[in-house]
Amino acid sequence: MIMLKVLHTTTYRFNEHAHLLPHRLMLRPRESRELRLISSNVTMTPHAALTWAHDVFGNAIATATFQMTASNLVIASLAELQLDAVAWPVFDIAVSAMSYPFRYSDDDWTDLGALALPQYSDTAGVLRNWAQMFIRGGRTDTLSLLKDLSVGVSEAVRYQSREDEGTQTPVETLNRGWGSCRDLAVLFTEAARMLGFGARIVSGYLYNPEKQSVGSSDAGSTHAWAEVFVPGAGWITFDPTNRSLGGFNLIPVAVARDIRQTIPVSGSFVGSIGAFAGMSVEVLVTS
């Protein structure tokens, strides 16, 4: 078990006083058996009224409402937590799901819903054909298949940090051969869905004290990965960027069907053309 602090600061700069419209914040880590949240505090400059709710996935969502104009907006989230995930997890997969292909129960299939359906077009079958290459025979060990798929993503795609907004489609990522952690997570998730698995995107933070993990040049950073639902074991964490299994160094904030649903800070403002000067994000994950 380790104690961690996560400081996530987003700063917007304007060339004039802008009228700030409501902002949507996804910054509170998700509590679980492996993660105990001790405290979580969000501060805003200028001051904003915060209202909290949970989305359809159970993610904590804060809406910030402002009463004044500002030339700068600073959103700072400080969370303290205990992380108790093991580095080499063992999964108690149900006998019925140990070999692929297997059939989800009717209830599981209904509840997984869109999480088991591809979200991107693949009319030429590029992604489907690529994913099926990891099936080793008529009966393939399920966990081995998913491990091979995760490693296959990092072998086919070179990690490259991208500062621009948005995410590449899975086929774009395969064709280009490079992508950010969110591109690799989307590719893995969509490939798993092509094989009939229920899968979801996860966003949060990477704890990287030895600075050896891909995706962070410091001891911590924002990060994206994936989870696949396997009967008996439940949601299994895969980080294709680092070829890792399990969440021993991952701090989840949001899970979702689509990467677009996990944006940490989103909002808008009213101002003249050219009012927006820029933004910066700083993330510190410390023990």
Side-chain angles (χ1 to χ4, degrees):
M1 179 183 296
I2 55 175
M3 297 283 296
L4 297 175
K5 288 185 178 181
V6 181
L7 177 61
H8 184 161
T9 306
T10 304
T11 303
Y12 293 94
R13 301 179 304 278
F14 303 95
N15 294 316
E16 61 184 44
H17 277 260
H19 177 63
L20 303 172
L21 299 179
H23 279 56
R24 181 178 185 270
L25 314 178
M26 298 183 73
L27 298 168
R28 181 184 175 93
R30 286 175 62 95
E31 294 188 83
S32 68
R33 182 181 58 81
E34 298 177 335
L35 190 154
R36 178 189 172 209
L37 187 60
I38 298 171
S39 65
S40 177
N41 187 41
V42 177
T43 58
M44 315 281 289
T45 305
H47 174 75
L50 289 180
T51 56
W52 290 88
H54 287 89
D55 67 9
V56 69
F57 299 104
N59 303 310
I61 310 294
T63 300
T65 305
F66 304 89
Q67 299 297 325
M68 59 184 296
T69 61
S71 58
N72 289 279
L73 170 59
V74 181
I75 303 169
S77 169
L78 176 61
E80 298 183 56
L81 56 95
Q82 289 180 342
L83 192 60
D84 191 23
V86 298
W88 304 102
V90 176
F91 300 101
D92 189 15
I93 297 174
V95 173
S96 61
M98 285 184 175
S99 295
Y100 174 89
F102 65 87
R103 185 181 184 277
Y104 285 115
S105 70
D106 291 344
D107 283 342
D108 283 347
W109 184 251
T110 298
D111 293 336
L112 286 168
L115 297 179
L117 301 177
Q119 303 296 304
Y120 294 83
S121 174
D122 183 40
T123 53
V126 173
L127 179 60
R128 183 177 299 277
N129 292 337
W130 180 81
Q132 289 177 342
M133 291 192 306
F134 297 94
I135 302 173
R136 305 305 182 189
R139 302 295 293 176
T140 301
D141 180 78
T142 299
L143 190 57
S144 296
L145 168 59
L146 292 169
K147 288 179 180 178
D148 289 346
L149 181 61
S150 180
V151 171
V153 168
S154 62
E155 288 181 341
V157 182
R158 172 175 52 86
Y159 171 80
Q160 181 173 313
S161 176
R162 291 197 300 112
E163 298 300 328
D164 50 316
E165 295 183 2
T167 304
Q168 299 173 171
T169 70
V171 173
E172 285 176 336
T173 300
L174 277 177
N175 289 338
R176 292 174 178 175
W178 58 268
S180 66
C181 62
R182 61 186 185 273
D183 299 318
L184 273 66
V186 168
L187 171 57
F188 172 85
T189 301
E190 282 292 286
R193 289 169 176 166
M194 285 288 183
L195 296 177
F197 290 97
R200 62 189 186 185
I201 294 288
V202 190
S203 71
Y205 306 103
L206 171 69
Y207 178 52
N208 185 25
E210 307 300 328
K211 301 182 181 181
Q212 294 180 344
S213 298
V214 177
S216 175
S217 59
D218 209 333
S221 68
T222 55
H223 197 52
W225 59 97
E227 292 178 348
V228 177
F229 185 79
V230 179
W235 292 103
I236 300 179
T237 298
F238 292 88
D239 179 7
T241 301
N242 288 290
R243 303 187 181 189
S244 63
L245 175 68
F248 75 98
N249 65 337
L250 300 173
I251 303 166
V253 170
V255 301
R257 169 181 51 83
D258 191 282
I259 191 74
R260 297 178 295 104
Q261 299 169 304
T262 66
I263 298 173
V265 178
S266 58
S268 56
F269 69 94
V270 177
S272 64
I273 297 176
F276 184 66
M279 70 168 290
S280 60
V281 178
E282 182 181 16
V283 174
L284 298 174
V285 182
T286 57
S287 57

